[in-house]
Amino acid sequence: MAVNAEQYRSLIQELGPDVTLVAVSKTKPAEDIQALYELGQRDFGENYVQELTEKVPALPKDIRWHFIGHLQSNKVKYIVPFVHLIQGVDSLKLLKEIDKQSAKAGRVTDCLLQIHIATEETKFGLDGPELAALLVSDEFASMKHIRVRGLMGMASFSHDQELLKKEFTVIRELYKQHGSGWDTLSMGMSSDYRLAVQEGSTMVRVGSLLFGARTPVS
Ligand SMILES: *Cc1c(COP(=O)(O)O)cnc(C)c1O
């Protein structure tokens, strides 16, 4: 079996009731997701729209699907009908499309705004001033079919604990500064979830620690 059950149990225990574990199942087959589901896991995260929409029909209906990747506006309509939380909303334009498609689907979609904090140029997200501007905009105020629950961030791909800590702190401070009514601060992955939780994360996104290493996708 590709799923590490022992690792899963100890991680759940370590995180405790106040931190939500999102099991990141991108590139992994439905059988692996089913195996973790049977151990009790309900929150799963995927990065690719097509992969996600192909997996959903084959798996239990009470799975809470988190979209954690970079979402293109033209793909929003495919996931809005069922998605539990869209993490990684990185522009007002995308938020507007989620609002529009959610209105069509007759629902309110929960979202996290992604903060760009890592030193890598390749990662997406808003910086502090962009976040502040979005939150006070009239357009944001007019959207009735999205609900922002908090922030999501990805730290640098680094083992430098001081750097990671600094990055998590920046996100946490933005969360505290803007987050009246927010309840979700999503930061931390397999390699840095412990530090992220120490720095205030309420949701970690863990893949390879549970499912084993991914073979790179092109
Ligand atoms: C792949 C991915 C993860 C999980 O990464 P691991 O290192 O396998 O735990 C978490 N968050 C995002 C946004 C990802 O793309």
Side-chain angles (χ1 to χ4, degrees):
M1 184 165 97
V3 167
N4 190 334
E6 231 164 277
Q7 184 67 256
Y8 174 68
R9 292 200 184 92
S10 75
L11 183 58
I12 284 290
Q13 195 141 41
E14 181 186 350
L15 294 174
D18 297 332
V19 178
T20 302
L21 170 65
V22 176
V24 177
S25 47
K26 62 186 177 204
T27 80
K28 299 296 173 182
E31 302 84 82
D32 288 7
I33 298 174
Q34 183 71 39
L36 206 58
Y37 176 91
E38 280 160 21
L39 296 173
Q41 181 63 20
R42 292 295 178 270
D43 292 274
F44 289 88
E46 290 278 342
N47 283 48
Y48 308 101
V49 169
Q50 190 180 344
E51 185 183 342
L52 173 58
T53 54
E54 282 170 10
K55 280 174 179 173
V56 166
L59 286 157
K61 296 291 167 258
D62 61 339
I63 285 181
R64 295 184 287 268
W65 292 105
H66 297 243
F67 192 81
I68 63 170
H70 179 62
L71 182 56
Q72 291 168 289
S73 292
N74 62 353
K75 303 242 171 99
V76 168
K77 57 178 176 287
Y78 301 117
I79 65 168
V80 151
F82 65 87
V83 74
H84 175 69
L85 180 64
I86 300 181
Q87 306 196 17
V89 177
D90 57 5
S91 71
L92 186 60
K93 173 174 175 268
L94 178 58
L95 206 54
K96 277 165 72 175
E97 180 63 15
I98 297 169
D99 185 60
K100 181 178 148 195
Q101 295 300 333
S102 301
K104 274 195 197 170
R107 66 167 300 193
V108 174
T109 303
D110 284 339
C111 299
L112 302 180
L113 298 174
Q114 182 169 359
I115 302 302
H116 180 93
I117 200 64
T119 41
E120 290 107 54
E121 279 299 324
T122 50
K123 286 178 181 156
F124 295 95
L126 306 158
D127 62 21
E130 288 168 343
L131 172 69
L134 188 156
L135 292 172
V136 299
S137 69
D138 292 341
E139 276 182 304
F140 178 66
S142 72
M143 293 180 205
K144 301 292 179 246
H145 294 270
I146 52 103
R147 181 168 49 205
V148 172
R149 304 290 298 256
L151 302 178
M152 180 266 215
M154 264 170 113
S156 294
F157 188 69
S158 165
H159 292 294
D160 178 346
Q161 297 295 298
E162 281 310 307
L163 174 67
L164 297 177
K165 192 172 157 150
K166 216 167 70 192
E167 294 179 348
F168 289 140
T169 304
V170 170
I171 303 172
R172 184 193 60 219
E173 290 308 308
L174 288 171
Y175 178 77
K176 286 212 296 216
Q177 186 184 339
H178 295 287
S180 74
W182 288 354
D183 60 8
T184 307
L185 178 55
S186 173
M187 48 186 204
M189 322 191 347
S190 291
S191 58
D192 57 17
Y193 75 87
R194 259 190 204 131
L195 187 59
V197 169
Q198 274 169 29
E199 298 305 319
S201 173
T202 69
M203 179 176 278
V204 296
R205 308 175 309 271
V206 176
S208 43
L209 194 64
L210 298 170
F211 292 108
R214 288 178 295 274
T215 39
V217 285
S218 54

